[in-house]
Amino acid sequence: MATITTTLLPKSIPHFLTTRPYFPITHVTNVPFLINNPLDNSFSARKSGNYRPNCKKKNPWLDPFDYGDDPEMEYGSLFADGKQDEDPRPPDNPDNPYGFLKFPMGYTVEIASLGLKIRGDVRRCCCVIDGGVYENLLFFPTIQMIKDRYPGVQVDILATARGKQTFELNKNVRWANAYDLDDDFPEPAEYTDMVGILKSRYYDMILSTKLAGIGHAVFLFMSTARDRVSYIYPNVNSAGAGLFLSETFTPDSMNLSEGGYHMYRQMVDWLGRPARKVPRQPLPPLKVSISRKIREVVEAKYKNAGAQKGKYIVIHGIKSDSKASMQSRGDADSLLPIEIWAKIAEEIRGVKPVFVIPHEKEREDVEDAVGLDASIVFITTPGQLAALIDDSAGVIATNTAAIQLANARGKPSFGLFCSEDKARSFVPNAEAKKCATISSRTGKLVDIDVEAVKSAVQIFTMPLAIF
């Protein structure tokens, strides 16, 4: 049988396929592949890296191609420019047999969604604040800035049981709820109950100062707020948290309180950002308000201790294991033994030193070190401490909430710190706040120069205190 050999080489390409066809441009005008497409240039510019986004991405976790608002977008004047307005609302009619609905001020039901969507109005805001009295107290300027930036907004607070006490000094807060934010494994009943409370209030924005991982981010996400803003961990623990948040801030360290007085500066910069025909909102100073009932209770306390209004000095920061010491989480070394306080109190002339104790068990130690005739006041809440400071001639304290309350009420104060860095961080612009700071040279508060403190506190004389 004959063998047939077949050649498998490819056939030559015909000549007419290798020749480019010639079409006169004057006759062919609608051939798209012969005309330079402007879209191709823009696409190649994006691929080459020459493309510049319009503004910073809101959150790269949500949409990697979201470059923010289009600057060429034209808006009308309605619900687009300026701050939100407190629109007039119809009066309630209690005689209506069908009942009536109560809506918040400035919330016209028919057109509320326009301002909320176009202008970003915030009618209800919830602030989740982690930490104790000190951290919640330093959040007061931020709350006031929210009230100034969004007129008519209703601000609610979710804080720890100790931090919730601070808001008896703030009249800008509608409701304050206590919740253990540091519990990594909360009870299911408490967790779901708090989620239900937050969801039923229909917040437009929820802010959180707790460092969020994916667990806390989901907790904020289930509140169904439009804007979910929170600090996140500065390490791998923040993985996945950005998927559930609309804006995130990364602190410099794992302890947000180490930032001192301006520990919330990243959130403040975002809240006060300028908008259409709205300039940047400045951060107001720290202010507190004291109710008349608290003043009456505190006045009875210091009078029973033998002190008179305007003729005593508040001494705060006695070493104790009580949580009512009102320390900052960013400064653990901020309490002095009573023996050192007794030496400092010996040099005070013309005014009476009043020792504030956070627990009754400290009373005996103070009497042993100072004497049985010592003026001792038992105070555990920031409201009573603020009232005591407001009726005094001044404050001598370590880095506790007493220093910030004295600055808020405009009282002269002496702050004792373990280092100069802590003093500059927690009391910036000390001279403008009538606060003199004395720091330890060794980095330990117990090694502070007692003689320097004695010579400094001598300015608390009776004529100066009255002036």
Side-chain angles (χ1 to χ4, degrees):
M1 186 174 183
T3 304
I4 301 175
T5 304
T6 305
T7 303
L8 299 178
L9 295 176
K11 297 181 180 180
S12 60
I13 301 175
H15 180 71
F16 71 93
L17 292 179
T18 59
T19 304
R20 178 177 298 179
Y22 173 75
F23 298 102
I25 300 300
T26 57
H27 298 285
V28 182
T29 58
N30 295 325
V31 182
F33 56 84
L34 295 179
I35 303 175
N36 291 331
N37 193 350
L39 296 178
D40 295 338
N41 295 333
S42 61
F43 179 75
S44 61
R46 293 192 183 192
K47 293 179 62 178
S48 62
N50 296 327
Y51 176 75
R52 292 292 182 267
N54 297 327
C55 61
K56 177 181 177 291
K57 295 180 182 179
K58 293 182 179 180
N59 191 339
W61 284 92
L62 301 180
D63 187 357
F65 301 101
D66 182 12
Y67 294 99
D69 297 333
D70 188 358
E72 298 180 358
M73 178 71 70
E74 295 183 0
Y75 294 91
S77 60
L78 185 63
F79 300 108
D81 300 329
K83 295 183 179 180
Q84 64 189 41
D85 300 324
E86 296 190 36
D87 304 323
R89 50 172 289 190
D92 297 333
N93 184 11
D95 299 329
N96 189 344
Y98 300 100
F100 55 90
L101 297 178
K102 287 189 175 182
F103 296 97
M105 294 179 60
Y107 201 96
T108 305
V109 184
E110 294 80 6
I111 57 177
S113 59
L114 294 178
L116 295 174
K117 182 67 177 177
I118 300 175
R119 191 171 50 196
D121 292 355
V122 178
R123 299 298 183 182
R124 297 184 182 94
C125 177
C126 179
C127 301
V128 182
I129 307 174
D130 191 23
V133 170
Y134 206 114
E135 286 75 19
N136 283 265
L137 186 64
L138 292 184
F139 199 78
F140 278 23
T142 306
I143 296 176
Q144 183 61 52
M145 188 180 70
I146 294 173
K147 297 286 289 187
D148 297 338
R149 176 62 180 82
Y150 302 101
V153 65
Q154 295 177 341
V155 180
D156 297 339
I157 297 296
L158 183 64
T160 60
R162 180 64 63 178
K164 177 188 173 183
Q165 297 177 344
T166 314
F167 294 96
E168 62 183 351
L169 297 171
N170 195 319
K171 295 183 179 180
N172 290 325
V173 174
R174 180 180 60 161
W175 293 325
N177 294 87
Y179 184 73
D180 190 2
L181 298 170
D182 297 324
D183 189 1
D184 295 330
F185 300 97
E187 291 292 333
E190 297 179 1
Y191 184 86
T192 54
D193 180 64
M194 185 53 63
V195 169
I197 291 175
L198 297 180
K199 189 177 184 301
S200 64
R201 293 177 180 174
Y202 299 98
Y203 292 115
D204 299 318
M205 181 169 62
I206 184 168
L207 309 173
S208 177
T209 65
K210 176 179 170 58
L211 301 187
I214 191 171
H216 186 61
V218 169
F219 177 77
L220 301 177
F221 179 80
M222 287 189 291
S223 68
T224 66
R226 181 195 63 202
D227 298 328
R228 300 170 301 279
V229 184
S230 176
Y231 284 89
I232 60 175
Y233 285 104
N235 52 26
V236 296
N237 292 327
S238 64
L243 292 172
F244 303 96
L245 301 173
S246 55
E247 187 70 27
T248 59
F249 311 111
T250 305
D252 298 330
S253 65
M254 290 287 291
N255 189 356
L256 187 64
S257 300
E258 291 179 353
Y261 185 83
H262 297 292
M263 65 176 71
Y264 307 118
R265 61 184 181 276
Q266 293 173 304
M267 182 174 288
V268 167
D269 291 341
W270 183 83
L271 288 172
R273 66 194 185 281
R276 288 183 291 271
K277 293 186 179 180
V278 178
R280 173 167 290 277
Q281 189 70 37
L283 182 68
L286 174 63
K287 297 294 182 183
V288 296
S289 57
I290 307 171
S291 66
R292 183 176 58 184
K293 184 179 294 186
I294 294 179
R295 290 182 183 274
E296 294 174 354
V297 173
V298 173
E299 185 177 1
K301 284 189 175 183
Y302 68 72
K303 284 185 177 180
N304 291 335
Q308 298 180 6
K309 184 176 181 178
K311 299 181 180 180
Y312 64 89
I313 296 294
V314 176
I315 294 181
H316 193 268
I318 299 175
K319 189 173 183 179
S320 175
D321 57 355
S322 174
K323 293 183 179 180
S325 298
M326 305 184 196
Q327 296 175 268
S328 171
R329 290 185 176 181
D331 188 5
D333 186 12
S334 58
L335 296 177
L336 277 177
I338 184 57
E339 292 78 13
I340 298 179
W341 282 118
K343 296 178 182 179
I344 297 174
E346 292 176 355
E347 299 297 325
I348 299 177
R349 300 288 185 271
V351 288
K352 193 176 187 65
V354 173
F355 296 87
V356 179
I357 57 175
H359 198 279
E360 279 292 347
K361 66 181 180 180
E362 310 295 340
R363 183 181 295 272
E364 184 177 353
D365 296 337
V366 176
E367 292 177 349
D368 293 341
V370 181
L372 296 177
D373 58 343
S375 297
I376 305 173
V377 177
F378 171 54
I379 285 180
T380 59
T381 64
Q384 294 187 12
L385 180 60
L388 182 68
I389 291 174
D390 193 48
D391 288 347
S392 69
V395 176
I396 305 174
T398 56
N399 188 18
T400 63
I403 290 292
Q404 304 298 338
L405 290 173
N407 298 336
R409 300 304 300 181
K411 294 292 181 178
S413 59
F414 274 96
L416 311 182
F417 293 86
C418 62
S419 65
E420 293 183 359
D421 293 338
K422 294 293 183 182
R424 288 192 298 266
S425 178
F426 284 90
V427 189
N429 301 324
E431 295 181 358
K433 297 179 180 179
K434 301 180 182 179
C435 180
T437 60
I438 301 177
S439 305
S440 175
R441 297 180 180 178
T442 63
K444 296 181 179 180
L445 184 61
V446 71
D447 297 332
I448 197 167
D449 190 356
V450 179
E451 297 300 327
V453 178
K454 287 182 179 181
S455 60
V457 299
Q458 291 180 0
I459 69 168
F460 284 117
T461 58
M462 199 59 220
L464 183 60
I466 294 176
F467 177 78

